[in-house]
Amino acid sequence: ALRSIAGKSGQEALQLLGNGEDAAAVVATAAAFAAEGDDFTETVLEAVNAGGASDSRGAIAGAIAGAHF
């Protein structure tokens, strides 16, 4: 799943992988949101507001963003 979204935005990753509860898709889309974010708050809000498994996606994106910023 991660290879299929390389270089894609969070929204593009969602369109490609879906917005369900599949663990691989949630992790991959969270990584995409974290990669495109410019700050911690923006990253987490974008990931959570995407819907679907928003709690998991937000937590994972926040963890990645927290380590980055």
Side-chain angles (χ1 to χ4, degrees), residues 10-25:
Q11 291 299 323
E12 291 170 331
L14 283 174
Q15 290 174 349
L16 185 64
L17 299 174
N19 200 12
E21 307 238 348
D22 174 53

Side-chain angles (χ1 to χ4, degrees), residues 1-53:
L2 283 172
R3 287 186 191 149
S4 66
I5 58 129
K8 305 237 186 288
S9 72
Q11 291 299 323
E12 291 170 331
L14 283 174
Q15 290 174 349
L16 185 64
L17 299 174
N19 200 12
E21 307 238 348
D22 174 53
V26 171
V27 171
T29 55
F33 278 108
E36 75 172 333
D38 292 327
D39 64 43
F40 178 81
T41 303
E42 174 191 331
T43 298
V44 174
L45 286 175
E46 288 286 327
V48 169
N49 288 331

